[in-house]
Amino acid sequence: VLVSAGDGADAVDLGAALREGATATAWVDVARRRRIEAHHTGTHVLHAALRRTLGAETVMQAGSFVGPDRLRFDFTHAAPLTDAQLREVEGWANA
């Protein structure tokens, strides 16, 4: 039985079907995994761009979500980003 957590992570509930010494087969959706890998890398690039623009001591990661179709990066900083800072972060991250 495939059980989805709703966040893109899936698990298989084998119940009592799996016993010690039994053989199981697993597979990875490679195309989906590659998209997740790209977004995971994007969180590192975004964090570096924020630290470069705003200062390494003032930007702290506060969480993230990495999925096959998007990423979310939560961070703390003393003040909202100005338009100029946002353009600089975007420019550095997209270079």
Side-chain angles (χ1 to χ4, degrees), residues 2 7 13 15 17-18 20-21 25 29 31-32 38 41 47 55-56 63 66 71 84-86 94-95:
L2 181 64
D7 61 0
D13 180 4
L18 191 59
E20 185 175 336
T25 302
D29 179 337
R32 179 178 181 273
T41 299
H47 194 194
V66 178
L71 71 85
Q85 289 170 326
L86 181 58
N94 291 318

Side-chain angles (χ1 to χ4, degrees), residues 36-48:
I36 292 170
E37 288 173 355
H39 289 132
H40 176 84
T41 299
T43 63
H44 292 286
V45 171
L46 179 55
H47 194 194

Side-chain angles (χ1 to χ4, degrees), residues 2-25:
L2 181 64
V3 179
S4 178
D7 61 0
D10 297 324
V12 177
D13 180 4
L14 298 173
L18 191 59
R19 301 264 186 243
E20 185 175 336
T23 301
T25 302

